[in-house]
Short mmCIF file of all heavy atoms in Angstrom, two decimals:
data_model
loop_
_atom_site.label_atom_id
_atom_site.label_comp_id
_atom_site.label_asym_id
_atom_site.label_seq_id
_atom_site.Cartn_x
_atom_site.Cartn_y
_atom_site.Cartn_z
N ASP A 4 -41.88 37.58 -25.72
CA ASP A 4 -42.43 37.60 -27.10
C ASP A 4 -42.16 38.96 -27.69
O ASP A 4 -41.58 39.90 -27.10
CB ASP A 4 -43.87 37.22 -27.13
CG ASP A 4 -44.75 38.17 -26.27
OD1 ASP A 4 -44.17 39.10 -25.64
OD2 ASP A 4 -45.99 38.01 -26.27
N GLY A 5 -42.61 39.10 -28.97
CA GLY A 5 -42.48 40.43 -29.67
C GLY A 5 -43.73 41.24 -29.51
O GLY A 5 -44.80 40.74 -29.08
N GLU A 6 -43.67 42.47 -29.91
CA GLU A 6 -44.82 43.37 -29.80
C GLU A 6 -45.91 42.98 -30.78
O GLU A 6 -47.09 43.10 -30.56
CB GLU A 6 -44.41 44.83 -30.00
CG GLU A 6 -43.53 45.37 -28.90
CD GLU A 6 -43.21 46.84 -29.11
OE1 GLU A 6 -43.71 47.44 -30.04
OE2 GLU A 6 -42.41 47.38 -28.29
N THR A 7 -45.48 42.51 -32.00
CA THR A 7 -46.45 42.05 -33.01
C THR A 7 -46.12 40.66 -33.40
O THR A 7 -44.95 40.22 -33.39
CB THR A 7 -46.40 42.98 -34.25
OG1 THR A 7 -45.04 42.95 -34.80
CG2 THR A 7 -46.76 44.44 -33.86
N TYR A 8 -47.18 39.92 -33.79
CA TYR A 8 -47.02 38.52 -34.19
C TYR A 8 -47.26 38.39 -35.67
O TYR A 8 -48.20 39.02 -36.23
CB TYR A 8 -48.05 37.63 -33.46
CG TYR A 8 -47.78 37.34 -31.99
CD1 TYR A 8 -46.97 38.17 -31.21
CD2 TYR A 8 -48.35 36.26 -31.39
CE1 TYR A 8 -46.73 37.90 -29.86
CE2 TYR A 8 -48.13 35.98 -30.03
CZ TYR A 8 -47.30 36.84 -29.29
OH TYR A 8 -47.08 36.56 -27.97
N ALA A 9 -46.48 37.54 -36.32
CA ALA A 9 -46.73 37.21 -37.73
C ALA A 9 -47.90 36.26 -37.80
O ALA A 9 -48.29 35.61 -36.83
CB ALA A 9 -45.49 36.55 -38.36
N ASP A 10 -48.56 36.22 -38.98
CA ASP A 10 -49.68 35.31 -39.16
C ASP A 10 -49.23 33.87 -38.97
O ASP A 10 -48.27 33.43 -39.63
CB ASP A 10 -50.32 35.51 -40.50
CG ASP A 10 -50.99 36.87 -40.67
OD1 ASP A 10 -51.42 37.43 -39.61
OD2 ASP A 10 -51.12 37.37 -41.80
N PRO A 11 -49.92 33.05 -38.13
CA PRO A 11 -49.46 31.70 -37.90
C PRO A 11 -49.92 30.72 -39.03
O PRO A 11 -50.89 31.08 -39.72
CB PRO A 11 -50.15 31.34 -36.56
CG PRO A 11 -51.41 32.11 -36.65
CD PRO A 11 -51.10 33.41 -37.36
N PRO A 12 -49.22 29.61 -39.18
CA PRO A 12 -49.69 28.64 -40.17
C PRO A 12 -50.99 28.02 -39.75
O PRO A 12 -51.24 27.87 -38.52
CB PRO A 12 -48.57 27.62 -40.18
CG PRO A 12 -47.88 27.70 -38.87
CD PRO A 12 -48.00 29.20 -38.49
N ASN A 13 -51.84 27.73 -40.70
CA ASN A 13 -53.15 27.02 -40.46
C ASN A 13 -54.02 27.78 -39.48
O ASN A 13 -54.84 27.19 -38.77
CB ASN A 13 -52.87 25.65 -39.92
CG ASN A 13 -52.06 24.78 -40.85
OD1 ASN A 13 -52.28 24.86 -42.08
ND2 ASN A 13 -51.05 24.06 -40.34
N ASN A 14 -53.87 29.09 -39.39
CA ASN A 14 -54.69 29.96 -38.52
C ASN A 14 -54.68 29.49 -37.06
O ASN A 14 -55.73 29.58 -36.35
CB ASN A 14 -56.12 29.97 -39.05
CG ASN A 14 -56.19 30.70 -40.38
OD1 ASN A 14 -55.58 31.72 -40.60
ND2 ASN A 14 -56.98 30.11 -41.32
N GLU A 15 -53.59 28.95 -36.58
CA GLU A 15 -53.51 28.53 -35.21
C GLU A 15 -53.66 29.69 -34.23
O GLU A 15 -53.28 30.81 -34.57
CB GLU A 15 -52.12 27.84 -34.91
CG GLU A 15 -52.01 26.47 -35.58
CD GLU A 15 -52.82 25.43 -34.83
OE1 GLU A 15 -53.25 25.67 -33.69
OE2 GLU A 15 -53.04 24.31 -35.41
N ASP A 16 -54.22 29.42 -33.07
CA ASP A 16 -54.31 30.47 -32.04
C ASP A 16 -52.93 30.82 -31.53
O ASP A 16 -52.04 29.97 -31.40
CB ASP A 16 -55.18 29.99 -30.89
CG ASP A 16 -56.63 29.92 -31.24
OD1 ASP A 16 -57.04 30.64 -32.13
OD2 ASP A 16 -57.36 29.17 -30.56
N GLN A 17 -52.76 32.10 -31.18
CA GLN A 17 -51.54 32.54 -30.51
C GLN A 17 -51.89 33.69 -29.60
O GLN A 17 -51.68 34.86 -29.93
CB GLN A 17 -50.48 32.93 -31.55
CG GLN A 17 -50.94 33.77 -32.70
CD GLN A 17 -49.88 34.08 -33.69
OE1 GLN A 17 -48.83 33.42 -33.75
NE2 GLN A 17 -50.07 35.14 -34.46
#
Side-chain angles (χ1 to χ4, degrees):
D4 60 357
E6 294 183 5
T7 60
Y8 285 23
D10 293 334
N13 302 318
N14 294 317
E15 288 287 345
D16 288 336
Q17 45 181 20

